[in-house]
Amino acid sequence: MKSKVAVVGIGATQFRSISPDVSYKELMYEAAVRAYEDAGIDPRRDVDTFVTCAEDYVEGTSIFDEYVPDQLGAALKQMHTIPGDGLHGVAACWLQIMTGEFDVAVVEAHVKASNILTPDGIAACAQDPVFNRPLGLNTHFIAGLEMNRFLFRYGLTSEHCHRVVRKNRGNALNNQFAGRGAKITDVDFQKAKMISTPLTELDVAQPVDGAIVAVLASEKRAAAMRNKPIWITGMGWCNGSAGLESRDWDIPEYVTKAAEMAYNLAGINTPAKEIDFAEVDDTYSYKELQHLLTLRLVSTNEIGSWVESGKGEINGVLPVNSSGGALGMGYLYEANGLARLFWAVLQLRGQAGKNQLPNVRTALIQSWRGVPTASAAVGVLSI
């Protein structure tokens, strides 16, 4: 690629299980103010285009894009909303800057999950209305089916997934933004409610409220910003069918295609050797392991021993979700991908506090939009 795009500002709220003291607009405003201060910009003067990632069903408001410009400083500016994960919004900003018509772009995603009274009903509306929804399949039940298939296919057990939960929620204890940090023990798993065998309630990322804003800039503008640029060297995305009967249940092909697109742009041939750390989707504990295989960060014949030897721990050879992931930071709906970006930027800047990783230069970030979607995005960041 001839042009380069960098993350030059980032801001987030505290992620909390409830936030009765603020509205979603105030969450957005707080994250935006933090990001603009971080980048040293005035949104009304310096930003060319804005993107918000939000789903009307989750927001409870039709045509939600009409409700977002004011609190971002985007009134009378170019703006559009994507009903998808925040990393798709990053890709949209990245593409706009790559055209050469824009120099500075802002992407935002948020959730006020504590306001959602019927999350299962909303999730059911994402299923195919003709072939799947009439069956009345709960979202977590579908995840349990896939988890069973995944563990059988690769010779894994529930204990491998429990290690993921213990790791991520433990990492979150040292992440000041995380809302679900905890020390999880074997006894906790013994007492955990079974949702869909072998999926327990501890294997599922629990929702939180929060907002994240990122500022992206062209190479020319990034050079004049106050922060060290974190370059987006590769972006990839893929959106497949939500139909359950037509997908490959062994491997999420949509992640494979998104990753190959990102790797090709970043010039990465052997991800396991060239990536220093990864922030990947862990909406369910088994998804972290499935995604590591799909992203070619771990080989299929070593995934079990890889987990048992702690290679994905914060002091391992390839730290995975040192932020705590969605299991530890909390499930942020469309903001999950931006949470992965947020933490990766802090790590590459050397601002990750007690969880700071030594000598990291290249990060992989990945998102998935959840059951029943086949929607994923992957990014490669470098300093």
Side-chain angles (χ1 to χ4, degrees), residues 28 50-56 59 64 68 72 79-93 106-111 212 332-336 338 369:
M28 294 173 66
F50 295 80
V51 175
T52 285
C53 297
E55 166 60 56
D56 287 6
E59 301 296 339
F64 184 73
V68 295
L72 296 178
M79 180 167 199
H80 71 275
T81 297
I82 296 174
D85 180 80
L87 285 191
H88 281 85
V90 172
C93 290
V106 165
V107 56
E108 184 273 345
H110 67 275
V111 68
I212 305 165
L332 286 153
Y333 286 76
E334 311 297 23
N336 278 323
L338 283 192
R369 209 181 172 210

Side-chain angles (χ1 to χ4, degrees), residues 361-376:
R361 299 185 59 84
T362 303
L364 179 136
I365 53 177
Q366 177 256 329
S367 68
W368 167 57
R369 209 181 172 210
V371 175
T373 78
S375 177

Side-chain angles (χ1 to χ4, degrees), residues 328-349:
M329 293 183 81
Y331 184 73
L332 286 153
Y333 286 76
E334 311 297 23
N336 278 323
L338 283 192
R340 307 284 76 75
L341 172 78
F342 176 76
W343 187 257
V345 169
L346 292 183
Q347 283 284 5
L348 292 170
R349 285 180 178 177

Side-chain angles (χ1 to χ4, degrees), residues 3 9 22-23 75 82 108 114 121 127 141 198 219 242 248 284 352 362 365:
S3 303
V22 291
S23 67
I82 296 174
E108 184 273 345
S114 60
Q127 295 179 23
F141 169 74
E219 183 175 14
D248 184 337
Y284 300 101
T362 303
I365 53 177

Side-chain angles (χ1 to χ4, degrees), residues 243-303:
L244 300 177
E245 67 282 353
S246 59
R247 66 182 54 181
D248 184 337
W249 285 62
D250 274 346
I251 287 292
E253 188 180 17
Y254 45 93
V255 178
T256 303
K257 291 182 175 178
E260 290 309 312
M261 182 177 174
Y263 290 152
N264 287 337
L265 289 170
I268 288 180
N269 298 311
T270 52
K273 294 182 179 179
E274 297 176 66
I275 299 294
D276 293 327
F277 71 97
E279 287 285 318
V280 305
D281 176 83
D282 60 337
T283 297
Y284 300 101
S285 58
Y286 75 95
K287 294 299 284 189
E288 176 173 306
L289 304 180
Q290 186 187 58
H291 290 148
L292 290 175
L293 294 176
T294 311
L295 295 164
R296 293 195 287 125
L297 294 173
V298 183
S299 65
T300 56
N301 59 3
E302 67 166 349
I303 183 65

